[in-house]
Amino acid sequence: MMNRFRKWLYKPKDNVLNIINQIMDACIPQDRAPRDFCVKFPEEIRHDNLAGQLWFGAECLAAGSIIMNRELESMAMRPLAKELTRSLEDVRGALRDQALRDLNTYTEKMRDALRHFDVLFAEFELSYVSAMVPVKSPREYYVQQEVIVLFCETVE
């Protein structure tokens, strides 16, 4: 029951972020923030609703909430959460302005807003997920890859 509620709660946010991601792919494909760190996330974290949960988490932190008894991490992330939510509003405003003008061209103001938002969202994603679950270190990830290679060689 709780999973259905979460999906209902985050669905509109996911839709907005999916549209913004599609616009960023079309508008600033070479300027996207790297997200290589996502491979370090545990499998159960990587799902379709993650972006919506991150947006909700940023809104809650910006409003002064504390995430799951993690007061120090919450206080450290609060400035980033505030900047992210402000940046998202800037992007939404730029997209509204663009929709009223020409849908086939992207203004520099809109490109700048998208770049800034993308960088902030990537930073927030890494810090929020790292605060919520243990994220593998580069060494742990390397060891996991070695085990996978050894397993594949054994199977062959």
Side-chain angles (χ1 to χ4, degrees):
M1 171 101 152
M2 189 58 137
N3 283 339
R4 278 191 281 167
F5 175 71
R6 284 184 182 148
K7 286 181 182 178
W8 173 81
L9 178 67
Y10 304 128
K11 189 71 170 160
K13 293 180 184 309
D14 286 333
N15 289 342
V16 170
L17 291 172
N18 284 334
I19 291 167
I20 290 173
N21 273 314
Q22 290 172 10
I23 292 169
M24 286 191 290
D25 287 341
C27 182
I28 55 166
Q30 306 303 323
D31 297 333
R32 296 295 306 266
R35 287 194 166 68
D36 298 337
F37 57 82
C38 289
V39 297
K40 295 181 185 181
F41 294 170
E43 273 306 310
E44 63 271 8
I45 294 298
R46 290 186 255 165
H47 53 76
D48 295 339
N49 297 20
L50 180 60
Q53 288 177 351
L54 291 170
W55 183 0
F56 181 74
E59 287 176 332
C60 290
L61 282 169
S65 296
I66 296 172
I67 52 173
M68 295 178 57
N69 300 323
R70 299 180 188 272
E71 191 169 344
L72 293 175
E73 291 94 338
S74 297
M75 288 173 38
M77 281 189 284
R78 188 159 288 121
L80 179 59
K82 287 180 179 180
E83 191 175 354
L84 176 63
T85 55
R86 196 171 25 256
S87 175
L88 181 58
E89 287 308 312
D90 292 345
V91 165
R92 293 173 76 187
L95 290 173
R96 271 191 300 272
D97 291 346
Q98 185 72 31
L100 296 173
R101 294 190 179 122
D102 185 5
L103 296 175
N104 297 319
T105 60
Y106 301 109
T107 64
E108 197 56 39
K109 176 185 172 187
M110 190 171 94
R111 290 175 198 265
D112 290 341
L114 289 171
R115 283 185 202 106
H116 185 64
F117 170 74
D118 193 34
V119 168
L120 290 174
F121 197 85
E123 286 178 30
F124 185 78
E125 181 176 14
L126 178 59
S127 58
Y128 189 86
V129 171
S130 296
M132 298 301 287
V133 295
V135 175
K136 293 177 185 169
S137 69
R139 175 75 181 134
E140 290 171 318
Y141 187 67
Y142 178 75
V143 168
Q144 181 183 7
Q145 285 181 328
E146 284 185 330
V147 169
I148 291 169
V149 169
L150 288 173
F151 182 74
C152 290
E153 289 174 352
T154 304
V155 169
E156 284 180 353

